[in-house]
Amino acid sequence: MTKTFGIAFRNLYRQRRRSALAVVAVGFGVVALVLAGGFIEWGLWFGRDSTIHSQLGHIQIVRQDYYEKGIADPYHYLLPKTSPELGKISALPGVETVGPRLSLSGLASLGDATISFIGEGVDPASERNLSRSLTIRSGSNLAEDDPKGIILGQGLAANLGTKVGDHIVLLSSPAKGGMNATEVKVRGIFSTITKAYDDVALRMPIELARKLVRVDGAHVWVMLLKDTEQTKGRLAEVKSILGKSGLQAIEWRELADFYNKSETLLLKQFGTVKTIIAIIIVLSISNTMMMSVMERTGEIGTMMALGIRRKSVMQLFLTEGLLLGVVGAGMGLVVGCALAYVISLVGIPMPPPPGMADSYTARILVTGSLAGQAFVLAVITTLLASIYPSWKASRMQIVDALRTNR
């Protein structure tokens, strides 16, 4: 094999111009794959991180069937204010925080304007970590020392005509019926990744929410981990702790319908890009190898006349194709990663995507998995493209091949 690689390298070096063009073609494909894949990887990371840190957390713990039947009777599925399970879950390794949330709805009034809202009562301390991707546009976030201070979604604040510092009245229906109202102060205005949520949402300290709907406890315990990659393992541990308590743990992916559909769409697009790049590499290398075979017909005939087997001839040309793939893929990875770094430093201005109100600056995220996929795809497609020319070279008739250059 060492001798074969040596001969293959000398053959490629002898045809420097053609080999360089083939290497450039492979490298260009790898660069395109790295940049396109890195852009998609960053988009998925951004969407995942924003979804987890603005709304869902990594794991949610609710009463059994809460998400299936809780809309009709949400207060029938309340979690206790404290429980042994909550303490055990909070003590698991890798858990950053576990915060309670209480959902409610009602009417918000300012002057003559009255608008319906969907609210969440949250613990201000735990939500600082849970809602890191929730952006405060003006004012400040919830605080433990301001029990009557709330924050409004950007769209809700605009529709209500309110600003930071205004006092508004919240009207809601308690769990046991009737009506209850309270006056609150707008501490801040926020936005998240989802515009539809911002148009109707507000947040308040959970104790204020409990007083407004006259209940204890919460609908959801939201669990945030230090590392998203640990979600599967921690989910299994949480389910083990909950056992037959009547509670269930749900991974964030099961609740992130928009993210899941976006991921499917982007991965299909990336699959199409990979297919196109693979076709380009196959056509380029096939053409290069066929030209090499045609120009070296007499040489191939001489090799076989000297006793070199057809299998060895085929192996030699396959090795040349493999070397072209490895060198091209390696150079493409180096150039692609360098370009990704430079482009990420500058940033890619992006318009607001569907469902979002704000533009953002995208970057390119090159992961080890993406780099490995690009390298392997380039090498395999190059090797596949070399099979037919190599087979063609090995099947030549010795007499006809020797006669070619006469």
Side-chain angles (χ1 to χ4, degrees):
M1 287 301 296
T2 302
K3 183 182 293 186
T4 302
F5 272 99
I7 297 173
F9 179 80
R10 287 197 294 270
N11 286 335
L12 293 177
Y13 183 75
R14 186 177 56 180
Q15 301 168 338
R16 291 187 291 275
R17 183 176 298 177
R18 185 182 297 114
S19 298
L21 289 175
V23 167
V24 168
V26 175
F28 177 80
V30 173
V31 169
L33 194 62
V34 167
L35 295 181
F39 180 74
I40 291 174
E41 284 285 346
W42 187 89
L44 293 175
W45 170 84
F46 176 74
R48 181 187 70 178
D49 191 71
S50 299
T51 300
I52 290 171
H53 288 95
S54 66
Q55 295 179 357
L56 300 180
H58 289 101
I59 299 171
Q60 293 197 2
I61 299 153
V62 296
R63 288 283 184 192
Q64 200 77 32
D65 299 328
Y66 169 71
Y67 282 110
E68 289 77 18
K69 303 176 182 178
I71 295 177
D73 187 10
Y75 298 114
H76 181 71
Y77 294 89
L78 284 174
L79 298 170
K81 197 170 184 178
T82 60
S83 75
E85 290 84 4
L86 180 59
K88 293 178 181 178
I89 291 169
S90 301
L92 286 173
V95 175
E96 188 168 338
T97 187
V98 180
R101 288 181 183 173
L102 177 65
S103 300
L104 68 157
S105 60
L107 299 174
S109 297
L110 176 65
D112 295 331
T114 300
I115 295 178
S116 60
F117 70 85
I118 296 175
E120 279 186 317
V122 300
D123 176 43
S126 61
E127 286 296 325
R128 288 193 189 96
N129 293 324
L130 279 167
S131 300
R132 284 198 293 263
S133 293
L134 183 147
T135 304
I136 300 296
R137 295 295 178 181
S138 60
S140 56
N141 210 335
L142 299 176
E144 300 92 323
D145 58 358
D146 189 1
K148 288 278 190 174
I150 70 168
I151 56 175
L152 300 177
Q154 195 171 25
L156 178 62
N159 293 332
L160 192 59
T162 186
K163 59 184 184 299
V164 175
D166 286 345
H167 288 79
I168 64 175
V169 175
L170 301 182
L171 183 68
S172 185
S173 178
K176 296 182 180 180
M179 298 299 292
N180 194 14
T182 185
E183 185 179 33
V184 296
K185 179 182 177 181
V186 178
R187 284 181 56 88
I189 295 172
F190 70 86
S191 66
T192 65
I193 191 174
T194 308
K195 182 179 182 298
Y197 175 76
D198 301 340
D199 289 342
V200 296
L202 62 82
R203 286 186 167 188
M204 65 184 74
I206 193 167
E207 291 302 328
L208 175 61
R210 286 167 176 164
K211 291 178 182 178
L212 190 59
V213 295
R214 295 172 184 161
V215 297
D216 285 327
H219 285 119
V220 182
W221 294 333
V222 183
M223 182 176 173
L224 183 69
L225 304 176
K226 295 177 182 178
D227 183 3
T228 301
E229 301 302 323
Q230 297 179 352
T231 302
K232 294 290 185 183
R234 294 293 171 262
L235 180 65
E237 293 177 355
V238 171
K239 288 182 176 179
S240 177
I241 291 173
L242 296 179
K244 298 181 179 179
S245 62
L247 309 181
Q248 68 176 134
I250 303 174
E251 186 184 0
W252 68 274
R253 278 184 174 275
E254 297 182 40
L255 306 172
D257 181 65
F258 179 78
Y259 174 84
N260 291 332
K261 291 177 179 177
S262 299
E263 181 183 42
T264 302
L265 174 64
L266 290 173
L267 291 179
K268 285 185 177 180
Q269 290 176 345
F270 185 48
T272 302
V273 171
K274 286 197 289 187
T275 302
I276 293 173
I277 291 173
I279 292 172
I280 293 173
I281 293 175
V282 167
L283 293 176
S284 175
I285 298 301
S286 294
N287 178 66
T288 299
M289 297 299 293
M290 283 301 299
M291 290 295 295
S292 179
V293 169
M294 292 173 62
E295 290 184 0
R296 293 160 59 188
T297 301
E299 177 185 321
I300 295 168
T302 302
M303 291 169 59
M304 291 191 289
L306 292 174
I308 295 177
R309 296 182 178 182
R310 297 182 185 274
K311 178 181 178 182
S312 298
V313 173
M314 185 172 182
Q315 186 179 38
L316 177 61
F317 279 90
L318 284 175
T319 304
E320 291 179 18
L322 179 62
L323 285 175
L324 289 174
V326 171
V327 174
M331 292 179 60
L333 274 183
V334 173
V335 175
C337 291
L339 285 175
Y341 178 75
V342 173
I343 292 171
S344 296
L345 285 179
V346 177
I348 307 171
M350 297 293 293
M356 289 180 63
D358 300 321
S359 58
Y360 63 99
T361 301
R363 290 173 175 80
I364 295 177
L365 177 64
V366 181
T367 63
S369 173
L370 174 61
Q373 286 182 40
F375 186 86
V376 170
L377 177 68
V379 173
I380 289 179
T381 51
T382 304
L383 195 58
L384 290 175
S386 305
I387 292 176
Y388 178 73
S390 302
W391 178 83
K392 192 78 173 174
S394 69
R395 304 313 298 172
M396 287 184 180
Q397 296 299 320
I398 297 176
V399 175
D400 294 338
L402 288 172
R403 191 181 297 143
T404 299
N405 293 336
R406 289 181 180 274

